[in-house]
């Protein structure tokens, strides 16, 4: 699907406002995320594959922070279990307005319902798969442990959480070098220095990233018995956690 090109930060902005998932972002989102996250397509496809392996008959699947539904679409294509519904939740009206049509445009046997809600407030029903692809980083840090616990409690035995996050590194030298490698990735994908620096300023207060160790400790503290990192490129990483 070809989508409009992201040029939101291409012209100089006097005061760079905090990043928000508004209409302008939703419009260009597929282009923005695929030019910004190394391996995004691989991550999404693999999350679909893992959902296919772990989906249980007659159980729900959640996609928390579904944006335009890329992960829901991948799961819809891979899940063969019977009596499954995928529920995508996002609190951006601009995303939700577009998401259902995006998801419906792809074939698949599994029904997908998109809801506009805050995943911190939303109660979760028993489920076999929960996908959180780059969403935890936008949740207030002090609310993350309770959210992971809520996910763990909702998962059926043998259920799986699929988590992807941008991470930071305690070692300042390592962190600076890895951030630079990511910026080089963005340059190679056509983002200018101005776009990179203005986006960085816009997102600084909105996206507060943890270290990989913090993420793993939180998963284990919630009760997950298997916590495994399966993807890493620069500061972008994915885990599966099995109950
Ligand atoms: C993908 N998973 O393409 N409640 C619900 N949604 C939220 C909340 C919240 N409290 N906070 C943020 N969001 C997608 C990509 S994007 C990642 C996810 C990124 C939503 C927010 O509106 C946005 O749509 C999404 O989380 C994060 O596989 O832009 O880096």
């Amino acid at each position: 699907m070809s989508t409009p090109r992201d040029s939101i930060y291409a012209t100089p902005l006097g005061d760079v406002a905090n990043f928000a998932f508004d209409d302008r972002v939703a419009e260009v989102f597929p282009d923005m995320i695929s030019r910004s996250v190394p391996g995004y397509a691989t991550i999404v496809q693999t999350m679909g594959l893992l959902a296919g392996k772990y989906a249980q008959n007659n159980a729900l699947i959640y996609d928390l922070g579904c944006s335009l539904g890329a992960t829901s679409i991948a799961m819809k294509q891979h899940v063969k279990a019977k009596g499954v519904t995928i529920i995508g939740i996002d609190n951006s009206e601009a995303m939700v307005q577009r998401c259902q049509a995006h998801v419906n445009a792809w074939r698949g046997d599994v029904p997908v319902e998109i809801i506009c809600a805050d995943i911190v407030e939303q109660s979760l029903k028993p489920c076999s798969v929960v996908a959180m692809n780059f969403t935890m980083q936008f949740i207030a840090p002090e609310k993350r442990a309770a959210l992971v616990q809520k996910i763990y409690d909702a998962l059926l035995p043998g259920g799986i959480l699929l988590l992807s996050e941008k991470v930071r590194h305690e070692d300042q030298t390592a962190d600076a070098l890895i951030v630079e490698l990511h910026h080089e990735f963005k340059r190679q994908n056509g983002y200018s220095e101005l776009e990179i620096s203005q986006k960085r300023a816009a997102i600084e207060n909105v996206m507060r990233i943890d270290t990989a160790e913090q993420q793993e400790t939180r998963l284990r503290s919630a009760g997950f018995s298997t916590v495994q990192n399966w993807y890493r490129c620069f500061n972008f990483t994915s885990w599966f956690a099995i109950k």
Side-chain angles (χ1 to χ4, degrees):
M1 213 185 307
S2 94
T3 55
R5 191 166 170 89
D6 167 27
S7 58
I8 293 175
Y9 296 102
T11 47
L13 306 163
D15 251 345
V16 182
N18 276 349
F19 184 82
F21 291 100
D22 55 14
D23 270 308
R24 281 189 328 155
V25 168
E27 183 80 20
V28 300
F29 189 71
D31 177 70
M32 174 185 282
I33 197 155
S34 58
R35 285 201 290 140
S36 303
V37 175
Y40 174 72
T42 303
I43 295 169
V44 167
Q45 275 313 304
T46 308
M47 285 173 87
L49 211 114
L50 287 164
K53 285 186 186 298
Y54 279 82
Q56 299 177 24
N57 290 336
N58 306 312
L60 292 175
I61 292 180
Y62 285 103
D63 179 4
L64 305 181
C66 57
S67 296
L68 296 184
T71 304
S72 289
I73 291 165
M75 297 197 290
K76 163 177 167 166
Q77 291 173 329
H78 282 93
V79 169
K80 301 292 171 228
K82 302 290 171 223
V84 172
T85 298
I86 298 171
I87 300 184
I89 306 178
D90 204 291
N91 68 348
S92 154
E93 272 181 34
M95 290 291 190
V96 169
Q97 274 166 12
R98 293 165 171 84
C99 185
Q100 190 73 58
H102 264 251
V103 169
N104 292 349
W106 294 82
R107 242 177 278 146
D109 297 330
V110 185
V112 182
E113 288 171 20
I114 304 301
I115 299 171
C116 190
D118 182 342
I119 58 172
V120 171
E121 306 296 334
Q122 182 76 20
S123 62
L124 301 179
K125 297 194 179 124
C127 51
S128 60
V129 178
V130 176
M132 257 192 118
N133 202 26
F134 301 108
T135 303
M136 182 86 83
Q137 58 206 23
F138 296 106
I139 303 299
E142 67 278 9
K143 298 199 167 149
R144 292 177 189 174
L147 175 57
V148 171
Q149 193 63 58
K150 179 168 77 179
I151 293 168
Y152 179 84
D153 293 344
L155 279 169
L156 297 163
I160 195 166
L161 167 61
L162 307 172
L163 177 69
S164 303
E165 284 281 284
K166 189 176 185 184
V167 291
R168 63 184 174 81
H169 300 79
E170 293 289 8
D171 183 312
Q172 299 300 301
T173 306
D175 197 64
L177 184 51
I178 287 174
V179 166
E180 179 47 30
L181 287 171
H182 175 231
H183 288 172
E184 186 53 36
F185 169 85
K186 292 186 76 168
R187 277 179 212 114
Q188 283 171 6
N189 283 327
Y191 282 114
S192 66
E193 294 308 319
L194 181 69
E195 286 177 292
I196 293 169
S197 68
Q198 292 195 134
K199 172 77 180 276
R200 197 178 189 189
I203 210 143
E204 218 162 46
N205 299 324
V206 180
M207 190 172 83
R208 277 162 293 165
I209 55 179
D210 291 325
T211 63
E213 294 72 26
Q214 283 174 301
Q215 296 286 353
E216 289 177 9
T217 302
R218 193 182 291 127
L219 293 170
R220 290 190 200 283
S221 302
F224 287 101
S225 51
T226 295
V227 174
Q228 182 59 51
N229 185 235
W230 63 266
Y231 177 87
R232 186 69 173 262
C233 183
F234 311 141
N235 35 8
F236 294 85
T237 188
S238 304
W239 296 265
F240 56 76
I242 302 170
K243 178 162 173 174

